[in-house]
Amino acid sequence: MACDTLTRDQSVRTAIELLDTDGLEGLNMRARGARLNSPATAVYWHVENKDNLLLLATDHVWGELDLPDLDSADRRATATAMATDLYRMFLRHPWLVQAFAAHVLYGENKARHDDHSLALHETAGFTAAEAAVR
């Protein structure tokens, strides 16, 4: 695959594959390049560095989460569904636990999940301050 045909999405998905199989230690540009049949430095066309690639990979997996309807009358079932989906995400991507311990992780998909979680607690009657510590 030539550098000019490699996309950011391909780099991120390949990074996730490496992380899922080899953990944080396995995420390196040489291994990513080998999987994509591209030079190790080709990733830098799309991301600034390895930390940026990790941020993009992390945010991508947060996008896997389904966010249930907040208008459901059964808030406990809604909260349980969100927690179960989150647990399954961590099972699919165990490197996330280590990443959270070593990096500040953020992104649109994580923010979407966090906002939805706060909104769920607020609809259950918690104040914003109470919901933030739940």
Side-chain angles (χ1 to χ4, degrees):
M1 181 174 299
C3 297
D4 57 349
T5 61
L6 182 65
T7 67
R8 173 183 255 188
D9 188 59
Q10 289 169 313
S11 287
V12 170
R13 288 180 188 277
T14 301
I16 293 167
E17 290 172 11
L18 285 167
L19 288 161
D20 286 347
T21 59
D22 302 329
L24 285 180
E25 301 80 29
L27 180 61
N28 63 68
M29 299 311 120
R30 182 170 291 148
R32 189 217 48 85
R35 282 202 183 201
L36 289 170
N37 194 29
S38 69
T41 57
V43 70
Y44 298 113
W45 286 95
H46 305 287
V47 298
E48 293 177 24
N49 53 43
K50 182 178 167 181
D51 287 340
N52 183 245
L53 184 58
L54 180 62
L55 277 177
L56 292 170
T58 300
D59 199 50
H60 184 89
V61 299
W62 278 94
E64 296 174 357
L65 296 174
D66 292 323
L67 301 180
D69 184 10
L70 292 178
D71 294 331
S72 170
D74 190 350
R75 286 181 179 59
R76 181 178 297 270
T78 302
T80 300
M82 285 185 71
T84 300
D85 201 24
L86 186 63
Y87 176 74
R88 288 182 180 143
M89 179 188 70
F90 280 109
L91 287 177
R92 283 189 308 274
H93 309 291
W95 53 270
L96 279 172
V97 174
Q98 187 181 6
F100 270 107
H103 301 274
V104 176
L105 301 173
Y106 55 89
E108 287 181 32
N109 289 319
K110 183 171 183 325
R112 179 183 64 96
H113 176 270
D114 293 350
D115 289 346
H116 202 78
S117 181
L118 286 172
L120 172 63
H121 286 89
E122 288 173 351
T123 62
F126 294 98
T127 66
E130 292 170 330
V133 296
R134 299 268 177 243

